[in-house]
Amino acid sequence: MHWPGDAPPGNGVARDEGMAVPHTPRARSGPTAASAAPTATSTRTWCRRWTRRPCAPAWCGRHRPCSASARCTGACAGWAQGGCWALPCPPAASHPLPHSVTSVFFGGGTPSLASPGTVAAVLEAVAGAAHLPAGAEVTLEANPSSASASVLDGFRAAGVNRLSIGVQSLDDAELRMLGREHTAAEARKAVEAARGLFPGRTSIDLLFGLPGQSRDAWAQRLEATLRLCDDHISLYQLTLERGTALAAQVRAGALPAPPQDLLADMYHTARNVLGAAGFRHYEVSNFARKGALSTHNLSYWRAEQYIGVGPGAHGRFVLRAEGGCSREARVQTPEPVAWMREVQSQGHGTRSRAVLSPLEQLEELLTLGLRTDEGITHERWGHFSPQLNLQAVFGEPGEARALQQEGWLVLDSGGLRCTWAGLAVLDSLLPALLWQLQRVLGAARCPPRGAPAEERAGGGARGL
């Protein structure tokens, strides 16, 4: 389940009560790798420009204590939650399979303030409505100030098997600047307790690009983190949120804003340091070793189906329970009090629901899939675009071909993905790729005059 206000283990989001907002590098106005790279453009901006919606459920929520999401696989009739939710399964399933929830994510630091009994009750409700395998990943995000050993042990007994801790920094001065309530000592204590209870399944969140932070100071933070961490680290470039005290201090000149070149250096320093320590850079902000990848959040980046429950939560799924066959985007009412009032009065808190067009689905798949080192496989692309494959869209002369020749992208038998250098400037590459996608799909739907009648009727775009 995901409480929107925090990243899926692996994306930047608003994590505090408006104090500061960590964002992922590259996929949102992050650092560029070289001056030769295209001009960096925020992916958040492009998501809104191209899809008119926030770019991902976990990155755009603003209320921490409020939403949950579960990833579903298999063919099913639906999962009822709160009187309104149903999560059907992929339309490609050829025969009925048990409805299975493969991961549950309690996001944001606030869930660690709930009682283990509350978490156990939620998991019991999920298991009662769907098949929750014994090996399903159940993640809880926690603030160090509310992650004592006794509390964490209670969560483990309730069914949690993976923990993500919002350390953010191991320097007390930086934590005070960010408005965090915990100290560096409390963060270390919480991580040590978590590692004892969830060995190999404890993740740490860390920020870089803080006002006044130097590259050397950042390198020292990384080394200190490596002495403390387990097998998963999420790194976020700090983005100042308008209206916060920290943003006001930077605008007033009381604190210095880090230059873009320094941010890029910090990011590459982290990639090199963590790579040398055996961590796989499997997503723009996420590093894991020994196979400790976040199962739940891979579902976001792979454009799988997920359901969001709670204020501000986002979901993407095919609603077969209503006889539908199209992928829907749903957004819950963001204000917690309003959401609860709507649930009590009308049985649900859904603020908006919209059927995603074929183009919108492919835009999301492209934007999110390229965030990972595996990129977008031919099989995954074919699920959303059976008639126009990756080669047809991005293999012909055009922007994508140029980016491949410049060493930013790779299109081969494995699919479409960024190179090591390209992953660092993904936000700079996306505008050109989105434009080419739109142009190719437009041409497929509108063949030139003189084309066979079946093509003019739209045959070239069938199945998209």
Side-chain angles (χ1 to χ4, degrees):
M1 298 192 167
H2 162 71
W3 306 84
D6 271 344
N11 302 353
V13 270
R15 297 187 179 248
D16 306 300
E17 296 82 353
M19 293 303 299
V21 182
H23 282 188
T24 59
R26 299 161 296 167
R28 306 210 183 160
S29 56
T32 54
S35 58
T39 302
T41 303
S42 167
T43 295
R44 172 188 286 183
T45 300
W46 277 98
C47 281
R48 288 176 178 170
R49 176 175 176 179
W50 286 87
T51 68
R52 296 178 177 84
R53 283 184 310 282
C55 54
W59 310 335
C60 304
R62 302 300 298 276
H63 296 285
R64 295 187 316 164
C66 44
S67 79
S69 71
R71 171 189 172 196
C72 166
T73 61
C76 55
W79 170 27
Q81 176 69 25
C84 67
W85 283 97
L87 181 60
C89 300
S94 59
H95 58 278
L97 296 172
H99 177 29
S100 178
V101 173
T102 60
S103 66
V104 179
F105 189 95
F106 296 89
T110 305
S112 59
L113 297 175
S115 70
T118 298
V119 172
V122 172
L123 293 176
E124 182 179 358
V126 172
H131 176 53
L132 184 63
E137 181 184 272
V138 180
T139 305
L140 182 138
E141 289 198 332
N143 287 324
S145 56
S146 58
S148 66
S150 60
V151 169
L152 296 182
D153 187 53
F155 286 130
R156 183 180 65 167
V160 173
N161 55 30
R162 183 183 178 111
L163 202 73
S164 178
I165 302 180
V167 171
Q168 314 305 4
S169 174
L170 290 173
D171 181 83
D172 285 330
E174 291 180 349
L175 289 171
R176 286 193 297 271
M177 178 174 60
L178 292 169
R180 303 295 298 188
E181 296 180 356
H182 67 271
T183 64
E186 288 175 324
R188 291 188 178 91
K189 185 177 180 180
V191 173
E192 290 169 355
R195 290 185 63 184
L197 293 167
F198 306 96
R201 308 197 78 178
T202 296
S203 180
I204 292 177
D205 292 353
L206 209 61
L207 291 175
F208 72 94
L210 280 60
Q213 188 180 50
S214 67
R215 183 173 59 180
D216 289 342
W218 169 237
Q220 293 174 7
R221 303 289 180 271
L222 285 173
E223 294 295 341
T225 301
L226 284 175
R227 292 192 293 270
L228 176 67
C229 78
D230 202 3
D231 294 327
H232 194 284
I233 297 179
S234 298
L235 302 181
Y236 306 110
Q237 176 187 315
L238 176 68
T239 297
L240 300 173
E241 182 78 354
R242 180 179 299 178
T244 64
L246 187 57
Q249 288 178 292
V250 172
R251 283 199 304 272
L255 291 172
Q260 288 297 313
D261 286 347
L262 176 59
L263 294 174
D265 287 344
M266 288 181 173
Y267 183 70
H268 287 297
T269 295
R271 299 180 82 188
N272 291 326
V273 169
L274 294 176
F279 283 81
R280 171 186 165 187
H281 187 193
Y282 75 99
E283 192 270 342
V284 289
S285 290
N286 286 267
F287 302 77
R289 60 185 172 190
K290 301 177 183 177
L293 285 68
S294 169
T295 299
H296 182 81
N297 292 286
L298 283 172
S299 66
Y300 298 134
W301 304 319
R302 291 172 174 169
E304 295 177 355
Q305 299 195 97
Y306 47 90
I307 184 171
V309 180
H314 289 237
R316 297 287 190 276
F317 49 87
V318 179
L319 193 62
R320 280 190 179 174
E322 294 183 4
C325 58
S326 300
R327 185 174 172 94
E328 284 194 8
R330 291 201 180 189
V331 182
Q332 297 282 285
T333 295
E335 303 83 7
V337 174
W339 180 84
M340 294 180 67
R341 183 170 57 248
E342 291 172 12
V343 170
Q344 293 172 344
S345 63
Q346 61 189 30
H348 67 86
T350 302
R351 173 64 58 89
S352 67
R353 55 182 293 189
V355 173
L356 298 176
S357 71
L359 175 60
E360 289 172 329
Q361 294 181 54
L362 291 176
E363 287 173 339
E364 290 194 349
L365 176 61
L366 182 69
T367 302
L368 301 179
L370 288 181
R371 294 178 61 89
T372 65
D373 63 348
E374 69 181 11
I376 306 166
T377 65
H378 291 285
E379 180 182 7
R380 190 169 301 122
W381 181 269
H383 178 78
F384 291 91
S385 176
Q387 297 301 322
L388 283 176
N389 58 31
L390 281 171
Q391 183 65 36
V393 179
F394 300 110
E396 302 302 318
E399 294 88 340
R401 173 78 68 82
L403 293 174
Q404 294 171 54
Q405 294 172 344
E406 294 167 6
W408 305 112
L409 285 178
V410 172
L411 177 59
D412 58 17
S413 59
L416 180 69
R417 63 187 181 279
C418 291
T419 62
W420 194 87
L423 199 61
V425 293
L426 174 59
D427 57 342
S428 305
L429 312 180
L430 284 172
L433 295 175
L434 289 167
W435 168 243
Q436 182 164 339
L437 171 64
Q438 185 184 57
R439 188 177 67 248
V440 172
L441 261 66
R445 290 190 175 89
C446 303
R449 291 182 179 180
E454 60 270 18
E455 291 187 22
R456 293 198 303 272
R462 282 196 300 269
L464 289 176

